[in-house]
Amino acid sequence: MGSAMGERDHRRQRWAARGALAAVALAALLPLVSGGLKGLLLLLAGIAGLALTAAALWWVLSRRGPARMAAAVLALVAPVGVIVLFAAANLIWVVFASLLLWCVAVWSGRYALRSTGLRPVRAKEYRTSPPRRPFLLLNPRSGGGKVEKFSLKEKAEELGARVVLLDPEHHQDVTELAKAAVADGADLLGVAGGDGTQAMVAAVAAEHGLPFLVISAGTRNHFAMDLGLDRDDPSTCLDALTDGVELRVDLGFADDRPFVNNASFGVYGAVVQSPGYRDDKVGAALERLPELLTRQSGPRLTATADGTTIADPQAVLVSNNAYRMDDPFGFGRRERLNSGKLGVLAVRVDSAVEAAELLLSPRPEGLTVLTAQHVVVHSDEPHLEVGLDGEALTLPAPVHCRIARRALRVRVPRNRPGVPEAPPRLDWRRLRKLAAAVGRTAAPTRSRRP
């Protein structure tokens, strides 16, 4: 009976792979079949419109004054013009039908790949005793006042935690506060604050082998998101004090500075140094970007990642584990936080043509994506401006980035609503093999250790 059920599953898998490939082919052919030569011309016009939009966005970021305004208008007009052309030819339905077919292809392809062993494995959870003397640092300004809004101090104290509210009017060294708490007998360190504050306290917890509690009270809290924590209600993170499990995750370092998310060099590293960045991120970026992108100011960078040299990028992002780049539904998230590898993303764009290539080419020359255990960022200047988990720092060049594998014990609630079942990566080569396979050869499984 099990054999019959397995064969049925394999048959469904084969047909799902075939359906995904067929949907992709139909999505590509539909404009040609429906419109003939006119459809082909419109398809080419659509591609040209995308390229023109990318070029216009480059001009928006790298120009000032009237040139920027004209480019902004072009960035809006180009896609609208393409839609008007399709509508005038009575082929607007083709656009929506093609998009629907692409959605069908993605769904069917993922269904086919779910039992092939390509799906990411969820991180192993360790059951440990609840802490007896937890210590929490709460930043009342984080996330627009979430600490007060969700009564985090009161709820944490009811659960037996010692709580220190940071003073927004005076600088306090959170690293020293955490070390003092350890010396006083704390057996867990936790933070409600931004990712930069999280990283500093996390480093103390890792150094002393203590569990670390993330309270998602920051503005974005990417680290909390990748841990699966509820960012809408940070009070749920406190459930880890009574009903929690531990995850072993990696911790990144830029020289001796820890980071839980990323260290950014070049364009972003310079923009975050702007005095008005905190109050007006868009305005500060538009003010600095023209000189930075056209290399009129800022350092000339070279990065080496495990022997691979990246020459003269405008921006280098080194992340604690790699971000997903291949899936629009999971873009910017990390599948794993315990791979022991840094993610490296470097961008070099010097013209509107290269900006268009970055959008349209499957393998643009100006984009480097890889993983490494050790990354060194060199500069032609003695110091580098760095955005470390969104915090502005200046470090002496070169900056050495490394990763401490599974150095951090993160205590999280056992039930975390933010942990969706991660879909498998779409591998079209694997789908072609599945579609052509016969019988049980369609579903070879392979295990992946977390």
Side-chain angles (χ1 to χ4, degrees):
M1 182 177 178
S3 176
M5 289 181 64
E7 181 57 36
R8 283 198 298 270
D9 290 340
H10 301 155
R11 189 160 51 246
R12 291 194 203 101
Q13 185 184 48
R14 289 198 303 275
W15 282 107
R18 291 165 184 170
L21 296 175
V24 167
L26 285 172
L29 292 174
L30 191 58
L32 306 180
V33 174
S34 302
L37 178 59
K38 183 167 60 175
L40 175 61
L41 293 175
L42 287 173
L43 182 61
L44 294 175
I47 295 173
L50 284 175
L52 190 57
T53 302
L57 290 174
W58 164 259
W59 290 322
V60 168
L61 297 176
S62 61
R63 300 294 187 269
R64 295 183 186 278
R68 171 176 283 172
M69 294 300 297
V73 172
L74 182 59
L76 292 173
V77 168
V80 171
V82 171
I83 294 173
V84 170
L85 285 176
F86 273 86
N90 293 320
L91 290 177
I92 194 68
W93 67 271
V94 172
V95 176
F96 292 105
S98 294
L99 289 175
L100 179 61
L101 285 168
W102 271 105
C103 291
V104 170
V106 169
W107 179 86
S108 187
R110 282 179 168 169
Y111 177 85
L113 292 170
R114 282 190 187 277
S115 58
T116 63
L118 297 176
R119 183 171 48 184
V121 178
R122 188 168 172 175
K124 184 177 180 180
E125 298 178 349
Y126 298 86
R127 294 189 177 275
T128 58
S129 301
R132 295 182 178 181
R133 301 192 64 185
F135 173 79
L136 305 182
L137 285 167
L138 308 183
N139 185 346
R141 280 191 175 176
S142 286
K146 288 183 179 179
V147 169
E148 181 179 354
K149 178 181 177 181
F150 291 93
S151 304
L152 296 181
K153 180 178 184 297
E154 294 76 14
K155 291 177 180 178
E157 288 176 339
E158 287 175 4
L159 295 172
R162 184 161 72 91
V163 177
V164 170
L165 275 179
L166 296 176
D167 186 351
E169 303 301 326
H170 300 89
H171 172 73
Q172 293 172 279
D173 190 329
V174 296
T175 299
E176 291 303 319
L177 289 173
K179 288 181 177 179
V182 174
D184 195 38
D187 59 356
L188 175 143
L189 299 177
V191 178
D195 290 318
T197 306
Q198 299 274 1
M200 289 186 285
V201 179
V204 177
E207 179 184 355
H208 293 277
L210 296 179
F212 176 65
L213 175 65
V214 177
I215 304 174
S216 56
T219 303
R220 289 176 295 274
N221 276 146
H222 291 289
F223 188 49
M225 175 179 68
D226 292 326
L227 288 169
L229 301 176
D230 187 344
R231 295 188 298 168
D232 295 325
D233 183 0
S235 66
T236 60
C237 300
L238 296 174
D239 293 342
L241 294 175
T242 55
D243 186 22
V245 294
E246 287 187 12
L247 308 176
R248 305 290 194 269
V249 306
D250 303 335
L251 188 61
F253 288 88
D255 289 342
D256 60 344
R257 300 294 188 113
F259 61 90
V260 293
N261 288 323
N262 56 61
S264 186
F265 305 86
V267 170
Y268 180 75
V271 168
V272 295
Q273 312 288 330
S274 302
Y277 178 75
R278 292 298 172 193
D279 297 326
D280 183 10
K281 292 180 174 59
V282 174
L286 290 176
E287 177 64 28
R288 293 292 310 275
L289 283 176
E291 285 77 18
L292 294 169
L293 292 177
T294 56
R295 304 182 189 276
Q296 298 175 50
S297 67
R300 304 299 288 258
L301 303 179
T302 301
T304 57
D306 286 354
T308 300
T309 299
I310 306 168
D312 210 18
Q314 282 127 320
V316 178
L317 183 76
V318 180
S319 59
N320 175 17
N321 287 258
Y323 292 108
R324 289 196 71 161
M325 301 293 295
D326 64 330
D327 182 1
F329 299 103
F331 187 84
R333 298 196 66 157
R334 290 170 288 186
E335 284 181 343
R336 299 182 61 181
L337 291 170
N338 62 357
S339 70
K341 293 286 185 72
L342 296 165
V344 182
L345 173 65
V347 179
R348 175 177 177 172
V349 181
D350 289 312
S351 68
V353 173
E354 291 179 2
E357 181 191 10
L358 198 65
L359 177 65
L360 296 177
S361 173
R363 293 183 179 179
E365 291 186 8
L367 180 65
T368 301
V369 181
L370 50 84
T371 59
Q373 291 181 320
H374 189 218
V375 179
V376 184
V377 183
H378 304 265
S379 170
D380 63 347
E381 297 181 1
H383 291 84
L384 269 172
E385 295 175 324
V386 186
L388 201 68
D389 282 339
E391 301 294 329
L393 295 175
T394 301
L395 300 177
V399 177
H400 294 256
C401 299
R402 61 182 175 85
I403 192 163
R405 188 179 189 194
R406 305 187 185 188
L408 187 60
R409 297 167 53 192
V410 180
R411 189 169 181 86
V412 295
R414 185 168 53 84
N415 295 315
R416 305 188 302 286
V419 183
E421 176 138 0
R425 291 175 179 265
L426 280 176
D427 186 335
W428 297 103
R429 181 181 301 178
R430 182 72 184 132
L431 283 172
R432 288 197 299 271
K433 291 181 179 180
L434 288 173
V438 178
R440 290 184 176 275
T441 58
T445 58
R446 53 186 175 89
S447 61
R448 286 177 59 184
R449 300 183 65 181

